[in-house]
Amino acid sequence: RADTPGATLGQIVEFAEKVAEVASRTVDAPDGPSSIADLAGVYIDTYMDREEKSDLPTPWVDMNEILTSGGFERGQVVTFAGSTGMGKSVALVDCARHLGIEQKRPTIYFSLEMTKDQVLCRVLSAISGIPERAIKMRQLTADQIVRIDETRERFAESSLWIMAGSYSVTQMINEVRKHRARHGAVDAIVVDYVQLAAKFLDNGIVAERAKLV
């Protein structure tokens, strides 16, 4: 979330790149100039083998049409910005749900302000089509109870991991490293939100109030 004066875009990007590199190891160490012929060969081969426009489509068709890649790209930093109460957290949960459950792309969702149950309730509401309030208040019809139970299979087949708690930037990076060792590469990381990490980056810069994928 970029609605604070505390963090510049450069600081947000620096933090995100640290986490993204750990997740996918797609950022190479500097190794000198590369021949454009070699780069083009790899790029075109990858392009020709790709069945869809984007590896990581968003939940929103209109947004996918606007983005040049048809969605998010691996290694890309996306910042959700807006005033308080505009729905940034809702949008981020929806992105994580879409990528990890609908698309089955390995996704980690870090929530630094909600509990795991609160995140799960939002995801459950989105999948079942049942209002979140009705789930929380246990005011469900017989049909809705059946729909809730039917979501078990969707969750069992998903690739979404939820982590909730007070994580510093360093702790999040370490958690991503451990996750990679146990489960393999991570395609997307969602953080809600960085200000609550409230810890210094390696160069002493604090990344504050940013939400990024």
Side-chain angles (χ1 to χ4, degrees):
R1 179 157 76 203
D3 56 90
T4 67
T8 67
L9 182 58
Q11 291 167 356
I12 294 170
V13 170
E14 182 177 356
F15 160 76
E17 287 176 343
K18 286 175 179 289
V19 179
E21 179 178 358
V22 171
S24 62
R25 294 301 180 190
T26 58
V27 179
D28 298 326
D31 57 0
S34 298
S35 164
I36 193 169
D38 294 337
L39 294 175
V42 173
Y43 182 88
I44 292 172
D45 287 343
T46 302
Y47 178 85
M48 297 299 289
D49 290 340
R50 185 176 293 178
E51 296 180 358
E52 300 179 358
K53 290 189 296 182
S54 171
D55 286 337
L56 305 170
T58 77
W60 312 289
V61 175
D62 291 344
M63 178 68 75
N64 293 333
E65 291 297 326
I66 294 173
L67 297 173
T68 56
S69 62
F72 302 130
E73 297 182 61
R74 286 176 61 88
Q76 182 182 45
V77 177
V78 179
T79 302
F80 284 66
S83 301
T84 300
M86 294 295 290
K88 297 180 293 298
S89 291
V90 173
L92 286 172
V93 170
D94 208 32
C95 283
R97 173 196 60 79
H98 183 73
L99 292 171
I101 298 178
E102 308 298 338
Q103 299 294 320
K104 296 182 175 59
R105 305 309 300 264
T107 301
I108 299 177
Y109 182 90
F110 283 97
S111 177
L112 309 187
E113 60 180 347
M114 292 190 292
T115 66
K116 290 182 179 180
D117 283 348
Q118 288 173 323
V119 176
L120 177 60
C121 186
R122 289 191 176 186
V123 175
L124 189 59
S125 173
I127 292 177
S128 65
I130 301 171
E132 187 177 343
R133 175 178 172 80
I135 296 174
K136 288 181 176 179
M137 300 297 292
R138 299 181 182 276
Q139 298 172 342
L140 302 177
T141 65
D143 175 67
Q144 289 175 330
I145 292 175
V146 171
R147 283 155 58 188
I148 289 286
D149 193 53
E150 289 175 346
T151 63
R152 293 176 186 271
E153 184 176 347
R154 299 280 296 280
F155 286 125
E157 298 174 349
S158 73
S159 295
L160 175 61
W161 285 265
I162 298 172
M163 304 195 72
S166 300
Y167 290 96
S168 69
V169 171
T170 299
Q171 287 171 332
M172 284 189 280
I173 291 174
N174 288 338
E175 289 296 338
V176 172
R177 284 198 180 105
K178 289 191 290 185
H179 185 91
R180 289 185 68 254
R182 296 171 183 167
H183 305 287
V186 179
D187 285 349
I189 300 169
V190 182
V191 180
D192 183 13
Y193 54 89
V194 174
Q195 183 193 21
L196 292 179
K199 297 294 182 180
F200 285 94
L201 299 177
D202 291 344
N203 65 357
I205 298 174
V206 176
E208 295 185 324
R209 289 183 84 92
K211 289 183 177 182
L212 30 109
V213 173

